[in-house]
Amino acid sequence: QDQLEESGGGLVRAGGSLSLSCVFHGSVFSIRPMGWYRQAPGKQREFVASITRAGIRDYADSVKGRFTISRDSAKNTAYLQMNNLKPEDTAVYYCAADRNSIADIRSISYWGQGTQVTVSS
């Protein structure tokens, strides 16, 4: 069964760094863009970053310059390096992937199980 598996996250102080990984267990032809969304308590899930198979990246304005997304397409794996973390980055981070696009949250085919990122002040 095709599925995403996330790892990483945890607790860090403001200004610190964390990294996330996401592996797609399935055919390499089943997905093109991969990325992350996040959801803070009481808020809607929001876009964080994405990367296409060709390496084209997109970031939310709130994380530009601090987060870096990368990908090893041969391994169906995406990585999110998060630097200079802020308390407002605290959320559950969900890996996302789809055959076509992950721009519309309503149409994403694959979601990871979610991993907690907590940034203390």
Side-chain angles (χ1 to χ4, degrees):
Q1 183 176 357
D2 295 346
Q3 62 181 350
L4 290 171
E5 179 181 2
E6 297 184 62
S7 60
L11 172 64
V12 69
R13 290 188 176 183
S17 298
L18 287 172
S19 62
L20 304 179
S21 297
C22 176
V23 179
F24 178 71
H25 297 288
S27 169
V28 67
F29 300 107
S30 296
I31 57 170
R32 292 194 178 94
M34 297 181 73
W36 272 269
Y37 280 71
R38 66 186 181 187
Q39 188 166 17
K43 295 188 176 181
Q44 291 187 333
R45 196 171 295 189
E46 64 176 8
F47 171 77
V48 176
S50 66
I51 185 167
T52 67
R53 191 179 290 175
I56 298 171
R57 297 170 172 85
D58 191 20
Y59 297 97
D61 288 342
S62 59
V63 307
K64 281 181 181 177
R66 301 188 297 119
F67 290 13
T68 302
I69 190 169
S70 60
R71 178 173 180 168
D72 185 338
S73 292
K75 297 181 179 180
N76 268 353
T77 302
Y79 307 93
L80 186 67
Q81 178 64 39
M82 303 180 290
N83 297 329
N84 191 22
L85 282 159
K86 304 175 180 180
E88 51 262 45
D89 294 317
T90 295
V92 176
Y93 283 69
Y94 294 92
C95 181
D98 194 87
R99 183 175 180 83
N100 297 305
S101 171
I102 61 169
D104 185 346
I105 194 172
R106 298 166 296 180
S107 62
I108 293 173
S109 298
Y110 303 103
W111 288 100
Q113 77 277 17
T115 186
Q116 179 69 45
V117 170
T118 302
V119 185
S120 63
S121 57

